[in-house]
Amino acid sequence: EDHDRTRSRTEYETALLDDLDWLGLVPDLGLRPDPHGSASAYRQSDCGDMYHAALERLASAGLVFGCDCSRREIDAEVGAALNRETRYPGRCRGRGLPLDTAGVRLRVDPGEECFLDGRLGERCQDPSAQCGDMLLRDRLGNWTYQFAVVVDDLRHGVDLVVRGEDLLTSTGRQIRLARLLGREYPPVFLHHPLVHGPDGAKLSKARGDTGVRELRAAGVAAAEVLGRAAVAGGLLPSFRPVGPAGLADLFLLPRDRT
């Protein structure tokens, strides 16, 4: 997931894949990409043609428009502190800016998107009220997270999305976008609780929280790291070392366990 080329580095991908190998975790589908090798259908930076094709489908239907708004301009027009949920006010909707010289936004009309979350139950969201017209590609040519993951799920046939509840508010807009791209039925979504520190804040490297690489360097065994993660995620009531196969079993429903 390296859609943001200004923040992605080959060494970051290498480190992530190396940590996964050390933990003994392997993908269910496809080969793990080689950061220094050939193109991969599972690396977003290698799939620009797929995103361009999806954008063309939306453009042909008249569903997108060019936008040259900066975050500062949106902030000034909205008159509130800018954050990830600041609603786009529609400044460029009728300006007719060429798509190849500006960012690109999806026209998002009012209307609720309802879905059944696998953990939280029924939810309804109005993307128009939440975020307004969705940014699909920014002014620098970077594909946005919201657009890239919807296209990825569609092209890979993903039918179950398990992710943190900090992304719950993204679900309605992603379902809307997927339908406009031709997806008949959305994936099933399950949003799990986040792991927080003692002060209640979400864990992050910026706060100095310990990552897998630091635990590994300190001599902690892979099975202990997985066991700690299982406890933190609520999969185990108390700590015990867990291997990759044992970790997978913790996700099974009681009726499926042998």
Side-chain angles (χ1 to χ4, degrees):
E1 192 167 285
D2 60 349
H3 55 89
D4 187 344
R5 303 307 301 151
T6 63
R7 300 169 63 183
S8 299
R9 301 286 187 275
T10 300
E11 55 267 32
Y12 300 162
E13 181 181 346
T14 300
L16 285 170
L17 297 177
D18 186 41
D19 285 343
L20 290 172
D21 285 337
W22 177 72
L23 290 168
L25 302 177
V26 297
D28 295 325
L29 178 67
L31 297 176
R32 188 168 286 157
D34 176 2
H36 305 284
S38 58
S40 168
Y42 299 95
R43 182 189 293 115
Q44 290 174 336
S45 60
D46 290 334
C47 299
D49 289 346
M50 302 288 186
Y51 305 131
H52 279 291
L55 185 61
E56 277 297 313
R57 294 202 299 275
L58 297 171
S60 297
L63 297 174
V64 299
F65 61 90
C67 175
D68 64 1
C69 294
S70 67
R71 292 175 63 87
R72 187 180 299 275
E73 288 169 333
I74 295 173
D75 184 21
E77 184 160 341
V78 172
L82 187 67
N83 58 61
R84 62 184 298 174
E85 280 300 304
T86 299
R87 183 182 181 278
Y88 175 69
R91 174 176 173 267
C92 293
R93 252 201 180 212
R95 296 178 64 199
L97 298 176
L99 300 184
D100 58 352
T101 62
V104 179
R105 289 186 180 271
L106 175 74
R107 297 179 183 274
V108 179
D109 295 323
E112 285 192 329
E113 299 292 340
C114 295
F115 58 96
L116 187 66
D117 184 271
R119 168 176 164 263
L120 301 172
E122 186 173 0
R123 291 288 188 274
C124 291
Q125 300 170 354
D126 182 350
S128 174
Q130 283 182 311
C131 64
D133 299 320
M134 285 174 57
L135 186 66
L136 307 182
R137 190 183 67 203
D138 69 18
R139 297 181 301 157
L140 301 177
N142 292 306
W143 304 106
T144 66
Y145 159 78
Q146 302 287 355
F147 183 61
V149 296
V150 170
V151 176
D152 290 344
D153 289 348
L154 181 59
R155 66 193 180 93
H156 289 306
V158 172
D159 58 9
L160 172 63
V161 176
V162 180
R163 61 190 186 187
E165 60 187 13
D166 55 330
L167 290 169
L168 177 63
T169 55
S170 294
T171 309
R173 68 196 69 169
Q174 291 177 4
I175 290 174
R176 173 78 60 88
L177 174 58
R179 186 169 63 253
L180 293 175
L181 285 170
R183 181 159 192 163
E184 185 175 3
Y185 300 106
V188 173
F189 290 90
L190 187 151
H191 292 86
H192 60 74
L194 304 179
V195 178
H196 295 90
D199 60 354
K202 186 173 69 172
L203 300 184
S204 71
K205 288 186 177 180
R207 288 164 30 88
D209 292 313
T210 304
V212 172
R213 183 56 54 98
E214 290 76 24
L215 293 172
R216 180 180 174 185
V220 180
E224 182 175 344
V225 173
L226 292 178
R228 291 188 190 182
V231 172
L235 295 173
L236 281 177
S238 60
F239 170 77
R240 62 177 171 82
V242 178
L247 181 66
D249 288 342
L250 296 178
F251 285 89
L252 296 175
L253 295 173
R255 66 174 182 270
D256 296 324
R257 294 176 182 167
T258 56

